Amino acid sequence: MLVLAAAQAPAQSPAPAKARSMQEILDASKASDWRTLDPDNTLYLDLAAGRVVIELAPDFAPEHVANLRTLAREGYWNGLSINRSQDNFVVQWGDAAEDEKARKPLGTAKTKLPAEFTSTSKNLSFHALPDRDGWAPQVGFAEGFPAGRDPANGATWIAHCYGAVGAGRDVAADSSNGTELYVVTGQSPRQLDRNMSMVGRVVQGMELLSVLPRGTGPLGFYEKPEQRMPIQAIRLASQVPAGERTRLEVLRTDTRLFDELVEARRNRRDDFYKRPAGHIDLCNVPLPVRVPKG
Amino acid sequence: MLVLAAAQAPAQSPAPAKARSMQEILDASKASDWRTLDPDNTLYLDLAAGRVVIELAPDFAPEHVANLRTLAREGYWNGLSINRSQDNFVVQWGDAAEDEKARKPLGTAKTKLPAEFTSTSKNLSFHALPDRDGWAPQVGFAEGFPAGRDPANGATWIAHCYGAVGAGRDVAADSSNGTELYVVTGQSPRQLDRNMSMVGRVVQGMELLSVLPRGTGPLGFYEKPEQRMPIQAIRLASQVPAGERTRLEVLRTDTRLFDELVEARRNRRDDFYKRPAGHIDLCNVPLPVRVPKG
């Protein structure tokens, strides 16, 4: 029992002399520790309050992301709205019309897509965390996304961490077409992992979604049309003139610098923390972004 | 490896015939499955938007809770404000004055309290979850609060789940006096477990706190005084006339019914879920409340 207790708290040992804080680590980062988002893999959700920037995940849900690109290029969501905000869970947008006949046509986008809950693509890089997780055999970062993995069959999936973006669906696994998207705004609902087609992650602007008033209808849907938050536009960054794009770099998750950053959060060495945790949850790992220099 | 993978997903086996949904379980609950909050252990935070109901945790932080009772009875917080809202982390209230001389006097409340990070009280009942956790040797519910526990020394502590209420402090472990309180509004920051004196948990009204605009200053503090959310009053329920109290019952966490509810969430048996998780995180366990009948 004592051995187990000790294993739970390795951080009680003195900090190594060279431990740096997260800020010091970021300040010492090199250009190669950062990556620029691909404009064809970046979705801008523009609201009156500002812009939410989403990185798409074609390696995980290629058919969904292809459909999202078509929908964005054809302006499908422009003028639609955020229709749901359920406390400690998700916000969701799409076409609020309940009557199928009243819904906005999908243009050239597909109306039917396969379920894309996990990926076994050989192209997916996976950078594992050593920390144990109750929801998945293994967790870490795949192409920069917080992810679970099953080494037994090589399946990888985007985890439902804060900011994860998924495709809403009905009961049937293959009933999502990408028009209804949700974003996690609460405690990570990891029970949804491997049950949903995940299309990306919010990299900037979560605070515009997380503060939306909670809907008072079932599942947090707004009961009155005027409570819905209008969507000005959802566009691919590549559709937007270069001067109007949001300049952004994202910290790479497959570097030694990132490992050092995670360790700085796993065991906080500053004076405030009296007992470093000796552990970090996948969904507690910060994923810094910055405005590129120059 | 295959054995481990199978152990990760025991829920893939067919559901037992008698599995009930959470709603069915609650509908079948008896009066004895619920408990009424003690008015001396219940704090009302009244905002213009409504009331936040907090259950206090005297078994975990007796000296802090005693001070909170004094502060509430003497109206300490009335007219003060919520001064901080940091996205995916916490909201915090107290006296916004930076100059110590400008701060509101504490009346007969103590200005100095000991750190109360964990409890080794023999009176604490602990109802363990079987699910593994990366942050603590054991997790479960202690007196109804989501909690961690170390069987090696009997220490128990309130976990930083959504809605947990803690006493803000400076660098020194014993620098909190209970006037500055914070509530978790994001992904559970469990790294704070065993580092803070935890005084309770929000049982109703989280959606009033979670939607507050995020502050743009360091740590999410509001930069302009007019951005702060005024506190109309913070009172013990026992200070409030019986007719103005919020009638509320909380589901007990030490019953067979509660175990069944947790299992219903650990392995969702409805048609929507294609792959039940076979696991639940301490901070994902729902803690239902209801308006008592009659």
Side-chain angles (χ1 to χ4, degrees):
Chain A
M1 220 29 132
L2 270 171
V3 173
L4 176 66
Q8 287 285 338
Q12 296 281 27
S13 55
K18 67 183 181 68
R20 298 189 290 184
S21 72
M22 180 164 107
Q23 194 54 55
E24 287 167 338
I25 293 164
L26 291 176
D27 289 346
S29 66
K30 297 173 185 161
S32 57
D33 290 313
W34 300 82
R35 62 189 173 89
T36 305
L37 298 182
D38 176 348
D40 266 332
N41 271 339
T42 306
L43 218 51
Y44 292 157
L45 160 59
D46 285 331
L47 305 171
R51 175 173 288 173
V52 178
V53 180
I54 295 167
E55 181 174 17
L56 296 174
D59 294 309
F60 290 89
E63 300 220 33
H64 278 77
V65 168
N67 224 37
L68 261 61
R69 288 196 188 107
T70 302
L71 292 164
R73 287 198 185 104
E74 298 180 1
Y76 170 77
W77 290 287
N78 305 352
L80 293 179
S81 54
I82 299 177
N83 306 316
R84 176 188 186 192
S85 174
Q86 184 171 357
D87 195 53
N88 196 21
F89 193 36
V90 298
V91 296
Q92 185 175 322
W93 62 83
D95 192 336
E98 286 187 30
D99 182 358
E100 212 154 313
K101 290 173 198 160
R103 286 195 196 147
K104 196 165 176 176
L106 267 55
T108 71
K110 290 182 180 170
T111 55
K112 182 90 182 155
L113 297 176
E116 298 180 295
F117 296 169
T118 66
S119 169
T120 51
S121 165
K122 302 284 180 212
N123 298 328
L124 269 180
S125 68
F126 188 78
H127 191 74
L129 283 178
D131 307 83
R132 71 179 192 171
D133 184 89
W135 304 94
Q138 197 174 40
V139 289
F141 294 85
E143 306 296 328
F145 292 92
R149 187 167 179 269
D150 187 346
N153 60 12
T156 308
W157 57 91
I158 291 181
H160 277 79
C161 295
Y162 190 78
V165 185
R169 64 166 169 85
D170 293 326
V171 168
D174 61 354
S175 59
S176 58
N177 59 23
T179 59
E180 289 279 326
L181 297 177
Y182 66 91
V183 178
V184 173
T185 57
Q187 171 70 16
S188 47
R190 299 276 307 277
Q191 71 279 0
L192 288 169
D193 288 5
R194 292 185 267 186
N195 279 287
M196 307 300 290
S197 299
M198 304 306 289
V199 300
R201 185 176 75 81
V202 173
V203 293
Q204 189 173 76
M206 273 305 295
E207 72 283 3
L208 304 176
L209 300 176
S210 57
V211 300
L212 292 176
R214 281 29 176 171
T216 50
L219 304 177
F221 278 93
Y222 295 117
E223 296 187 276
K224 297 175 187 168
E226 63 268 28
Q227 295 171 321
R228 298 174 192 146
M229 172 62 61
I231 293 172
Q232 295 182 341
I234 296 185
R235 294 170 293 174
L236 288 166
S238 54
Q239 288 177 263
V240 175
E244 295 169 28
R245 292 184 195 167
T246 300
R247 297 180 66 232
L248 211 57
E249 286 182 342
V250 179
L251 194 70
R252 296 182 67 98
T253 55
D254 56 355
T255 60
R256 290 180 68 110
L257 183 113
F258 183 72
D259 289 342
E260 187 186 349
L261 182 146
V262 174
E263 172 56 21
R265 303 291 280 194
R266 183 185 288 118
N267 288 304
R268 311 269 186 135
R269 307 294 192 186
D270 59 86
D271 292 338
F272 186 84
Y273 280 85
K274 308 309 173 189
R275 182 189 177 98
H279 173 80
I280 194 162
D281 187 275
L282 173 68
C283 294
N284 286 103
V285 175
L287 294 171
V289 298
R290 71 174 186 184
V291 178
K293 290 165 190 162
Chain B
M1 216 33 128
L2 270 171
V3 174
L4 176 66
Q8 288 283 338
Q12 297 280 25
S13 54
K18 67 183 182 68
R20 298 190 289 185
S21 72
M22 179 163 108
Q23 194 54 54
E24 288 167 339
I25 292 164
L26 291 176
D27 289 346
S29 66
K30 296 174 185 160
S32 57
D33 289 313
W34 300 82
R35 63 191 173 87
T36 304
L37 298 181
D38 175 348
D40 267 331
N41 271 340
T42 306
L43 218 51
Y44 293 156
L45 160 59
D46 285 331
L47 305 171
R51 176 174 288 173
V52 179
V53 180
I54 296 166
E55 181 175 17
L56 297 173
D59 294 308
F60 290 88
E63 299 220 33
H64 277 77
V65 169
N67 224 38
L68 260 62
R69 288 197 187 105
T70 302
L71 291 165
R73 287 198 184 104
E74 298 180 1
Y76 170 77
W77 289 287
N78 306 353
L80 293 179
S81 55
I82 299 177
N83 306 315
R84 176 188 186 192
S85 174
Q86 185 171 357
D87 195 53
N88 195 21
F89 193 36
V90 297
V91 296
Q92 184 174 323
W93 62 82
D95 192 336
E98 285 187 31
D99 182 358
E100 210 154 315
K101 289 174 197 158
R103 288 197 195 144
K104 196 165 174 175
L106 268 55
T108 70
K110 290 181 181 171
T111 55
K112 181 92 183 154
L113 297 176
E116 297 179 296
F117 297 169
T118 67
S119 169
T120 50
S121 164
K122 303 284 181 213
N123 297 327
L124 270 180
S125 68
F126 187 79
H127 191 73
L129 283 179
D131 306 83
R132 71 180 192 170
D133 184 271
W135 304 94
Q138 198 174 40
V139 289
F141 293 86
E143 306 296 328
F145 292 92
R149 187 166 179 269
D150 188 346
N153 60 14
T156 307
W157 56 91
I158 291 182
H160 278 78
C161 294
Y162 191 77
V165 185
R169 64 167 169 85
D170 293 325
V171 168
D174 62 354
S175 58
S176 58
N177 58 25
T179 58
E180 289 279 328
L181 297 178
Y182 66 91
V183 178
V184 173
T185 57
Q187 171 70 16
S188 48
R190 301 276 306 277
Q191 72 278 0
L192 288 170
D193 287 5
R194 292 185 266 186
N195 279 288
M196 307 300 290
S197 299
M198 304 307 290
V199 300
R201 186 176 74 81
V202 173
V203 294
Q204 190 173 76
M206 271 306 294
E207 71 283 3
L208 304 177
L209 300 176
S210 58
V211 300
L212 292 176
R214 282 29 176 169
T216 49
L219 304 176
F221 278 92
Y222 295 117
E223 296 186 275
K224 296 173 188 168
E226 63 268 27
Q227 295 171 321
R228 298 175 190 143
M229 172 62 62
I231 293 172
Q232 294 181 341
I234 296 186
R235 295 169 294 175
L236 288 165
S238 55
Q239 288 177 264
V240 174
E244 296 169 27
R245 292 183 194 167
T246 300
R247 297 181 64 231
L248 211 56
E249 287 182 342
V250 179
L251 194 70
R252 297 183 66 100
T253 54
D254 56 354
T255 61
R256 289 180 68 110
L257 183 113
F258 183 72
D259 289 342
E260 188 187 348
L261 181 145
V262 174
E263 173 55 22
R265 303 291 280 193
R266 184 184 289 119
N267 287 304
R268 312 270 185 133
R269 306 292 191 186
D270 58 86
D271 292 336
F272 187 85
Y273 281 84
K274 308 309 172 189
R275 184 190 175 99
H279 172 81
I280 194 163
D281 186 276
L282 172 69
C283 294
N284 287 102
V285 175
L287 295 171
V289 298
R290 70 174 187 184
V291 178
K293 290 164 192 165

